[in-house]
Amino acid sequence: MAAQFGRRLRKGAATTAVAAVAVAALSASQAPGVNDHGRQAAADATPSPEASASDGSATGNSPYYTDLPPLKSPNPSPSTGPAPGGTGTTEAGIPATVLDAYKKAETTLREAKPGCNLPWQLLAAIGRVESGQARGGRVNAEGTTIKPILGPQLDGNGFALIKDTDDGAYDGNSSYDQAVGPMQFIPSTWAWAGRDGNGDGKKDPNNIYDAALAAGHYLCRNNWDLSQQGDLDRAILSYNNSRDYLNLVMRWLEYYRKGTHEVPDGTGTLPDNRSDDGAGASPTPTTPGTTTPVGSTPKPGPKPEKPETPQKPGGGGTTPSKPPTTPPGTPSTPPTTPPTPTDTVDHLEDAGTAKLTAMAGDVFGRRISTRAETEAGKAVAKVRVRFTIVGDTDTTFTGGEDVATVATNSSGVAVAPALQAGEKTGTVTVRATVVGRAVPGLDYKATVTERAADALARTGDAALTCAPGGTFANQVEVKATYKGAVADGVAATATLIKSADDPTVTDKGPYFKDADGKTVRTLTGLKTDAKGLLKLPELYADDTTGTFLLRVTTAGGATLTVELTVAAAETSSPSPSPSDSPSA
């Protein structure tokens, strides 16, 4: 089938109209009852109405490929082979290395973030739309693209304006950012989202294993559950902020869920057009010294001067238009680019963030708020603010990441995701910076305190008694709570004390035994379990009788005092014999 291109967010009514027609044609051609090959309009393929596009995206809302899924079965018949030009069964197939990368990413995320429920078919759908499955699987044995895949420079000429953020390290452009690699991440997104998917110690956006794993983590942030349509929609829109993009990815996701097959690397279908410039684009021209992949047809056109050019995560895309010609003798005026919101930011200010304190393992009740301002103190909207957790800590944002990028709202305020306290206590620093602008960062301090309990209670009421030199029949078990909720993982101490008024350790009466069987009357390093329960070891008694006190204390000040009784067993008096009775 002929490849078609929809649109990514882009200025221009003409492009929008073309995209609308493409999406309408897709919906109509694949509706139930069209023909024997009609696609079923599954409920889970319908974007939820409440899903809304976010201000930021992994790709910078770059252009994307808009080929529609084939109407025929995803699985080829045994007698069918690849057709010339990368059509036929090749169109439905996924190159072997690319498919392996998607499935490995799913396996990794199943362990790292089981609540996300990421299907590898979602990565395949996005990979198809973003780069035509790494340009038909043109990767080497390690999974790295044979040629870099770059989107157009994001210079504001029909796309977003994103000035260079990586000094050209990823995209080779020290003036503007470009989307990079088979999953099309812009450099500023890759800087925090990048992952090492093939275990070579590097995070390379041009490697399909690294890029697929990074895309998986990106889609699984914010505690999204991708088995729920609403969260799935939000995740896809966060990758590219376009309703047409969401609809197209959902179509490919549904298609791959019905089945697919593996094809040799380099034989996958090559997209023909981009969403930004319609028909005629040739993102995969051949150059001297290169060979055309099996199953593909060289595209006519001038020889490329730059790497292959699809568009994606965090980028924008299209080839800059040629400047208009002017009559001879007319003085040329250098084009001027109006300042972007980011260009006007002079500093960041705290936007009313309260004291940040949480116990280990808890979510912070307050969130960090930062306002971007001009030199005159005016709020600046639509500016990307990056929040980074720095230092040696296991505290993260609630999505499990240590970096989050948020766009400022109409009041110039960016609110970071909630912080999830780790087990390491102490001060945590969160730094706010402006993406694409060299202004001083703003540091926030958050405090993680140890887990605590404010109440302790015995779980049973059986008397704790023992004969001298014996063992107490019942063990002491207590339950810890904090503000009425279970207090798990709370440190506790158990001590046999002299009296209620004298909490020093007694030297007689009941005792515990250490690992060597020696007498100990203080136990430290105790912790409540997941249900807030703490069961103390067995207690023993020496020969001293009387009433003794066991005191249990926890972090947070909870205290419980328990009575222990050591007493000799009572003996009954013998009954008088008849001979002892007084005579009559």
Side-chain angles (χ1 to χ4, degrees), residues 22 71 81 109 198 244 285 323 343 363 367 418 433 489-490 523 560 578 584:
L71 296 179
L109 268 299
N198 61 355
D244 292 339
D343 292 332
V363 175
R367 296 165 67 178
T433 55
V490 177
L523 295 178
L560 176 66

Side-chain angles (χ1 to χ4, degrees), residues 84-157:
T87 58
T89 61
T90 307
E91 181 174 342
I94 299 177
T97 299
V98 177
L99 180 60
D100 182 57
Y102 295 151
K103 291 184 175 181
K104 285 189 174 181
E106 179 198 59
T107 299
T108 299
L109 268 299
R110 190 183 301 129
E111 296 178 1
K113 296 184 177 180
C116 176
N117 296 306
L118 171 79
W120 67 260
Q121 292 91 341
L122 176 59
L123 297 176
I126 291 176
R128 172 72 191 198
V129 172
E130 293 299 338
S131 68
Q133 309 297 20
R135 310 299 302 131
R138 297 184 66 193
V139 297
N140 63 19
E142 290 71 41
T144 302
T145 56
I146 294 173
K147 293 175 62 180
I149 300 176
L150 295 177
Q153 66 177 15
L154 302 179
D155 57 4
N157 183 16

Side-chain angles (χ1 to χ4, degrees), residues 40-262:
Q40 181 179 3
D44 66 356
T46 303
S48 61
E50 72 274 15
S52 60
S54 58
D55 287 336
S57 76
T59 68
N61 299 326
S62 309
Y64 54 91
Y65 293 118
T66 57
D67 306 70
L68 304 181
L71 296 179
K72 56 183 175 293
S73 168
N75 295 305
S77 63
S79 60
T80 305
T87 58
T89 61
T90 307
E91 181 174 342
I94 299 177
T97 299
V98 177
L99 180 60
D100 182 57
Y102 295 151
K103 291 184 175 181
K104 285 189 174 181
E106 179 198 59
T107 299
T108 299
L109 268 299
R110 190 183 301 129
E111 296 178 1
K113 296 184 177 180
C116 176
N117 296 306
L118 171 79
W120 67 260
Q121 292 91 341
L122 176 59
L123 297 176
I126 291 176
R128 172 72 191 198
V129 172
E130 293 299 338
S131 68
Q133 309 297 20
R135 310 299 302 131
R138 297 184 66 193
V139 297
N140 63 19
E142 290 71 41
T144 302
T145 56
I146 294 173
K147 293 175 62 180
I149 300 176
L150 295 177
Q153 66 177 15
L154 302 179
D155 57 4
N157 183 16
F159 314 109
L161 174 59
I162 303 180
K163 294 185 178 180
D164 177 64
T165 61
D166 65 329
D167 198 24
Y170 293 119
D171 54 14
N173 189 336
S174 59
S175 297
Y176 302 95
D177 272 353
Q178 295 176 248
V180 181
M183 302 304 280
Q184 287 286 277
F185 282 92
I186 52 172
S188 60
T189 303
W190 183 262
W192 63 266
R195 293 293 190 280
D196 178 12
N198 61 355
D200 64 357
K202 298 183 294 183
K203 299 176 183 179
D204 182 3
N206 297 297
N207 182 278
I208 185 58
Y209 289 98
D210 294 359
L213 183 59
H217 275 281
Y218 186 91
L219 295 165
C220 284
R221 71 198 193 287
N222 297 331
N223 285 329
W224 281 327
D225 178 359
L226 303 186
S227 66
Q228 302 298 316
Q229 188 64 46
D231 282 357
L232 177 60
D233 291 356
R234 294 181 188 95
I236 296 172
L237 284 170
S238 79
Y239 210 86
N240 187 298
N241 185 355
S242 164
R243 179 65 61 168
D244 292 339
Y245 180 86
L246 168 62
N247 293 336
L248 184 59
V249 169
M250 284 302 304
R251 294 293 185 180
W252 277 106
L253 172 58
E254 181 190 14
Y255 181 75
Y256 285 134
R257 276 175 168 166
K258 292 180 178 178
T260 186
H261 59 282
E262 178 182 293

Side-chain angles (χ1 to χ4, degrees), residues 353-357 364 366 445 447:
T353 303
K355 184 177 181 180
L356 300 168
T357 303
F364 282 75
R366 303 280 186 173
K445 302 296 182 182
T447 302

Side-chain angles (χ1 to χ4, degrees), residues 350 353 356 366-370 387 397 414-417 419 430 432 444:
D350 176 45
T353 303
L356 300 168
R366 303 280 186 173
R367 296 165 67 178
I368 296 172
S369 297
T370 300
F387 298 95
F397 293 111
V415 181
L419 286 168
V430 180
Y444 293 85

Side-chain angles (χ1 to χ4, degrees), residues 362-385:
D362 287 352
V363 175
F364 282 75
R366 303 280 186 173
R367 296 165 67 178
I368 296 172
S369 297
T370 300
R371 183 171 55 252
E373 296 183 354
T374 64
E375 184 176 6
K378 182 179 179 181
V380 185
K382 297 183 179 181
V383 171
R384 291 180 298 160
V385 176

Side-chain angles (χ1 to χ4, degrees), residues 55 74 91 114 173 193 201 300 303 310 352 382-383 392-393 432 479 481 507-508 540 543 551 554 571:
D55 287 336
E91 181 174 342
N173 189 336
K303 296 179 181 179
K382 297 183 179 181
V383 171
D392 182 18
T393 179
K479 182 174 183 178
T481 56
D507 57 358
K508 58 185 177 181
Y540 304 88
D543 294 333
R551 180 163 291 174
T554 68
T571 57

